[in-house]
Amino acid sequence: MILKERAESEELLKMRSLNTRMELTQEEKFHFFNLEKGYEGETKFDQKAESLQEERYIINDLMLKINNSYFQIDSTFISQEGIRLLDVKNFEGDFCIEKDRFYAIKTGREYKNPIEQLNKCTSQFRQLLRDLKLNYLVEAFVIFINPEFTLYNTQIDYPIILPNQVDRFFRNINNTPSKLNEGHEKLAKQLISLHQTKNPYSKVPNYQYEHLKKKVYCKYCSSFQVTLRNHTFICDKCEGHETIEDAILRNVKEFQLLFPERKITTSNIFEWCNVDLTKRTFCRVLNKNFKAVGKTSDSYYI
């Protein structure tokens, strides 16, 4: 049973928008690519997790805090026999691990050692359980989900699940009976209640409203080459379709995400979308989907 669903992080959503509306540096683009790749891997993992049977709790994307230190767990499985902490990685290509180094063989680029990250996370989680006066068996694994990933120089005692072992990993879990009790339910609720909604490690670059491109872009391929035909936005690049209302609402949501301090007004959204539509059209969509506050030129929507 999934108690906490997985969703795209605020950081990923912001980076996705900024990648379309401004020019990112190479390092920022690399970070954005890793966020997209990571989320893609996590969703693939979730699809495989659907095969789990018996009574088990699944909690996704937990951000926890202990002693002013934050740590994140991609997936937490609570079963009768104990707790599994799972860190999902979607690396692609040939990699090597040597002592504390983890790097791509082709480029030589180094990444944070996933085993060291896992060990630190596991230690912090066990400390959290002690603080809660709870006693559960805890085991943790790094799951390499991408079938195009190969790891060299690995050791048999490393807490890793390689791509060709993932299906067997889930079969082994399913082969272990699991019945949950009130204690497991209490544990799950406590963990979810401790979830931190803001990620302190977010690396969204600085941006300003004046420097972002204002225009409606395609929801499917992010191209600004969209044309309005018969009350529908049509992408000239991928031929994706989107109604006027859906496009305006999507842009309102993006505007709120990037500029939560700015009010949703007809003028603001009209300027943000920058398309050949009248303000009356924007006013109609906003009145239909939001609550207007005030009745003067200073009115806004919530």
Side-chain angles (χ1 to χ4, degrees), residues 95-222:
F95 281 71
C96 185
I97 189 165
E98 293 179 349
K99 296 183 179 179
D100 59 343
R101 294 184 66 225
F102 177 75
Y103 60 92
I105 294 177
K106 185 176 181 179
T107 64
R109 182 161 191 148
E110 288 196 29
Y111 297 79
K112 290 182 179 179
N113 188 316
I115 296 178
E116 288 186 355
Q117 287 181 294
L118 182 74
N119 289 338
K120 182 178 178 181
C121 172
T122 307
S123 176
Q124 291 171 309
F125 186 82
R126 287 184 172 131
Q127 178 61 55
L128 178 64
L129 290 184
R130 287 194 292 270
D131 290 350
L132 295 173
K133 294 180 170 51
L134 297 174
N135 184 26
Y136 285 92
L137 175 66
V138 178
E139 58 179 355
F141 299 94
V142 179
I143 310 285
F144 292 104
I145 197 71
N146 196 314
E148 298 299 319
F149 172 84
T150 302
L151 182 62
Y152 293 92
N153 207 35
T154 183
Q155 296 181 17
I156 194 171
D157 60 344
Y158 282 169
I160 63 176
I161 307 296
L162 295 171
N164 63 346
Q165 299 172 319
V166 174
D167 288 343
R168 192 188 326 150
F169 172 76
F170 281 108
R171 284 198 301 271
N172 290 339
I173 294 178
N174 273 331
N175 290 335
T176 306
S178 179
K179 295 293 181 183
L180 301 177
N181 55 38
E182 292 182 359
H184 296 108
E185 182 179 3
K186 180 182 178 181
L187 165 66
K189 288 181 177 179
Q190 282 183 296
L191 292 177
I192 293 174
S193 71
L194 293 171
H195 171 66
Q196 307 291 309
T197 56
K198 289 293 183 180
N199 183 354
Y201 304 120
S202 175
K203 295 195 293 185
V204 176
N206 292 326
Y207 60 90
Q208 295 180 343
Y209 179 82
E210 293 74 18
H211 298 157
L212 300 187
K213 186 170 184 178
K214 286 88 173 169
K215 200 174 188 303
V216 170
Y217 58 82
C218 175
K219 67 176 291 187
Y220 301 102
C221 71
S222 299

Side-chain angles (χ1 to χ4, degrees), residues 2-15:
I2 298 177
L3 298 185
K4 183 177 180 298
E5 298 280 355
R6 194 183 308 282
E8 293 155 306
S9 67
E10 180 179 295
E11 181 182 18
L12 173 56
L13 293 174
K14 283 185 176 182
M15 291 298 296

Side-chain angles (χ1 to χ4, degrees), residues 278-296:
T278 64
K279 279 192 175 182
R280 182 177 296 179
T281 299
F282 285 90
C283 187
R284 175 181 57 80
V285 172
L286 292 174
N287 277 319
K288 178 182 176 182
N289 294 277
F290 297 90
K291 179 182 177 181
V293 178
K295 295 184 179 180
T296 67

